[in-house]
């Protein structure tokens, strides 16, 4: 696990602080973590460039503005690696309601989404980013 040190991101709604919750779970599971608060795109790419697959879970559905700066550059570089990307819930940077990138978005080969596909997945542009969509049942009651 490479943790980018941004669990209090201003890019997502603070009440959806799932990053901090999940980081604590990973720590309790004693999974090795490389933590860095001073990291650059080249450093991240160097660590992942020989990976067999990349798991994308940078943002969630709380993203409400264009991706900028470090994370925009990181997504652009990751997309150019030619390594299969599996997105968790939806590709980072993709607007869940409109199916369009918020500036830039991960281009996944598969997206495992929770409960039901996002509304934006029906947009003509969405499959370029989602790839194959797999719906994971997480116990949400269907009405």
């Amino acid at each position: 696990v490479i943790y980018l040190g941004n669990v209090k991101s201003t890019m997502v709604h603070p009440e959806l602080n799932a990053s901090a919750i999940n980081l604590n779970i990973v720590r309790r599971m004693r999974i090795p973590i490389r933590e860095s608060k001073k990291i650059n795109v080249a450093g991240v790419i160097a660590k992942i460039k020989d990976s067999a697959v990349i798991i994308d879970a940078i943002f969630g559905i709380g993203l409400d503005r264009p991706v900028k700066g470090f994370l925009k550059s990181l997504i652009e570089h990751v997309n150019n690696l030619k390594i299969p990307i599996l997105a968790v819930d939806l590709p980072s940077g993709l607007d869940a309601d409109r199916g369009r990138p918020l500036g830039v978005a991960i281009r996944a080969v598969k997206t495992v989404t929770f409960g039901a596909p996002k509304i934006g997945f029906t947009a003509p542009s969405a499959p370029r980013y989602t790839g194959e969509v797999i719906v994971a049942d997480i116990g949400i009651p269907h009405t």
Side-chain angles (χ1 to χ4, degrees):
V1 172
I2 297 176
Y3 163 56
L4 300 178
N6 194 18
V7 298
K8 294 180 182 173
S9 173
T10 59
M11 296 293 289
V12 296
H13 298 289
E15 66 273 11
L16 301 176
N17 200 1
S19 297
I21 293 165
N22 288 320
L23 178 60
N24 287 330
I25 291 168
V26 169
R27 284 183 172 142
R28 279 187 250 125
M29 293 172 69
R30 300 183 194 273
I31 295 173
I33 299 171
R34 282 189 241 164
E35 186 170 349
S36 179
K37 300 210 185 282
K38 295 179 183 179
I39 196 161
N40 59 46
V41 171
V44 173
I45 297 303
K47 290 179 190 313
I48 66 173
K49 68 181 175 60
D50 296 322
S51 299
V53 66
I54 295 171
I55 307 297
D56 162 44
I58 300 171
F59 304 118
I61 60 171
L63 185 67
D64 63 359
R65 66 187 83 157
V67 180
K68 296 181 181 177
F70 168 78
L71 293 171
K72 179 180 186 219
S73 182
L74 180 64
I75 289 171
E76 291 169 342
H77 281 81
V78 166
N79 281 339
N80 289 325
L81 284 177
K82 309 293 187 240
I83 298 170
I85 303 171
L86 173 68
V88 176
D89 203 25
L90 80 155
S92 291
L94 191 67
D95 183 305
D97 293 328
R98 294 180 184 85
R100 296 187 305 241
L102 292 163
V104 66
I106 285 291
R107 290 190 310 265
V109 296
K110 292 187 182 196
T111 297
V112 178
T113 194
F114 306 128
K118 308 301 177 250
I119 294 168
F121 290 2
T122 61
S125 61
R128 176 176 183 218
Y129 302 96
T130 62
E132 177 188 355
V133 175
I134 300 164
V135 178
D137 181 1
I138 58 168
I140 299 171
H142 296 283
T143 57

